[in-house]
Amino acid sequence: MPKQCGRGRKLSYRLWLALPALSLLLAPNLHAQRRNEPQATGATTPRAGALKDFTGYWVSVVTEDWRYRMVVPDKGDYVSVPLNFEGRQTANAWDPAKDQAAGNQCRGYGAAAIMEVPGRLHIYWQDDNTVRIDTDSGTQTRLLHFGGSAPENMTPSWQGYSVARWGDAEPIVQRVGGGGPVGQGGPEYANQIPAGSGGNPDREVNYKPILRSYLKVTTTRMRPGYLRKNGVPYSGNAVLEEYFNSLTYKDTTWLFVTTIVNDPQYLIEPYITHAHFKKIPDGSGWDPTTCQVEEPR
């Protein structure tokens, strides 16, 4: 699969600094809850009332953590992952041969890590209440369910049980040191361009966050897996939060996924990553692989 990064990309470096990191601080208010009810938007189903269209084929654009995603890191290399003592011990004990022998080749392809694995996505509505995400890397399938919660007797799986809702009433904010939605193009972002910037969306002067539509997904009931392919662990008690957003810039559509893993067993604080995807015309480059213990995808 060709790399989708480099100096020759038309998108400026500052645009990549303007990633849509989402608010982690505000809980949903009543307005947010009502906007997720079909009757609040006049729609009869979540599909009919979708506030964004993420359907289609997408390919990874590796703009962060290249050395941990495009190659399998060395054993014991867990820089930037907030592991506690037990987490470090577990990562240091990683043995890929044991994973292979035990049939656990897919530990690095679970829901908490799969969006970081380089490859392609196919996103579509499986039915009026369920978004399906297929990955060619590891040949995984995720189902995002609108409404309800995970069945209590559900057996944990690599992809767990995901509950989705639209989070448009919560503001998107910038991360410390960069990030946030500055630089998004298109008419719907016209009032996001800072005053006095001369219409240049790369300027960040006087930027103020505003309300935007995105999809929030919460996943539980996951089998224990790896945050990175070199045995950096997450437990079966981990809770995964994801925020999906998209933008179109210079006739190219981009998908951004912010991932937050909370795991009281192995992490001292939430582990946050960002994955980026470029929309492609069709599935002609689809390249399904099996789960690989010592390969990046």
Side-chain angles (χ1 to χ4, degrees):
M1 184 186 69
K3 288 188 295 184
Q4 296 290 325
C5 55
R7 296 184 178 178
R9 302 212 58 80
K10 292 184 178 180
L11 222 54
S12 70
Y13 177 69
R14 288 183 65 81
L15 177 61
W16 288 119
L17 291 179
L19 308 177
L22 307 168
S23 175
L24 310 181
L25 302 176
L26 299 180
N29 55 27
L30 179 60
H31 176 67
Q33 296 172 18
R34 293 197 69 250
R35 289 298 298 269
N36 282 281
E37 300 172 1
Q39 61 268 30
T41 60
T44 57
T45 66
R47 181 177 185 176
L51 300 178
K52 289 261 184 160
D53 182 11
F54 300 128
T55 60
Y57 287 91
W58 307 83
V59 63
S60 297
V61 180
V62 181
T63 60
E64 293 187 12
D65 295 330
W66 197 99
R67 61 177 285 220
Y68 303 114
R69 297 173 60 191
M70 297 301 289
V71 296
V72 177
D74 294 335
K75 180 177 179 177
D77 186 354
Y78 35 76
V79 173
S80 79
V81 182
L83 294 174
N84 59 22
F85 179 74
E86 184 180 359
R88 295 193 298 273
Q89 280 191 316
T90 302
N92 290 333
W94 175 58
D95 186 340
K98 285 186 178 179
D99 284 341
Q100 185 76 34
N104 285 324
Q105 298 94 324
C106 290
R107 278 191 170 178
Y109 298 81
I114 189 62
M115 304 305 282
E116 291 282 300
V117 178
R120 290 171 171 79
L121 309 178
H122 183 204
I123 304 178
Y124 57 98
W125 286 88
Q126 176 168 282
D127 55 48
D128 285 342
N129 299 292
T130 311
V131 170
R132 175 168 171 160
I133 303 177
D134 292 330
T135 73
D136 65 350
S137 295
T139 314
Q140 300 294 303
T141 294
R142 301 187 63 191
L143 298 178
L144 314 184
H145 306 273
F146 284 79
S149 58
E152 297 221 355
N153 60 351
M154 176 184 169
T155 300
S157 64
W158 295 126
Q159 302 309 321
Y161 191 92
S162 299
V163 177
R165 70 174 182 83
W166 295 106
D168 64 306
E170 298 176 24
I172 300 171
V173 299
Q174 288 181 280
R175 289 179 296 150
V176 174
V182 180
Q184 296 180 337
E188 66 174 307
Y189 296 100
N191 62 342
Q192 267 188 271
I193 299 175
S197 66
N200 181 357
D202 290 337
R203 292 285 300 277
E204 301 181 25
V205 180
N206 297 324
Y207 171 75
K208 294 182 179 180
I210 60 175
L211 302 181
R212 280 294 165 233
S213 302
Y214 59 85
L215 182 67
K216 178 180 179 180
V217 178
T218 303
T219 302
T220 55
R221 304 300 171 88
M222 296 179 289
R223 289 179 63 179
Y226 297 148
L227 296 171
R228 290 180 181 165
K229 296 295 290 291
N230 61 337
V232 178
Y234 64 88
S235 74
N237 297 319
V239 175
L240 168 66
E241 291 184 9
E242 294 168 288
Y243 300 84
F244 290 70
N245 207 347
S246 64
L247 66 90
T248 298
Y249 182 85
K250 294 185 178 180
D251 299 322
T252 301
T253 300
W254 304 90
L255 172 68
F256 303 92
V257 183
T258 297
T259 297
I260 306 153
V261 180
N262 290 277
D263 186 359
Q265 182 170 343
Y266 291 132
L267 300 177
I268 61 175
E269 63 184 18
Y271 176 56
I272 304 173
T273 58
H274 306 276
H276 319 106
F277 302 86
K278 176 183 175 181
K279 194 164 191 177
I280 51 180
D282 51 47
S284 57
W286 194 257
D287 181 26
T289 66
T290 59
C291 294
Q292 302 290 324
V293 173
E294 295 186 275
E295 296 292 334
R297 66 175 298 267

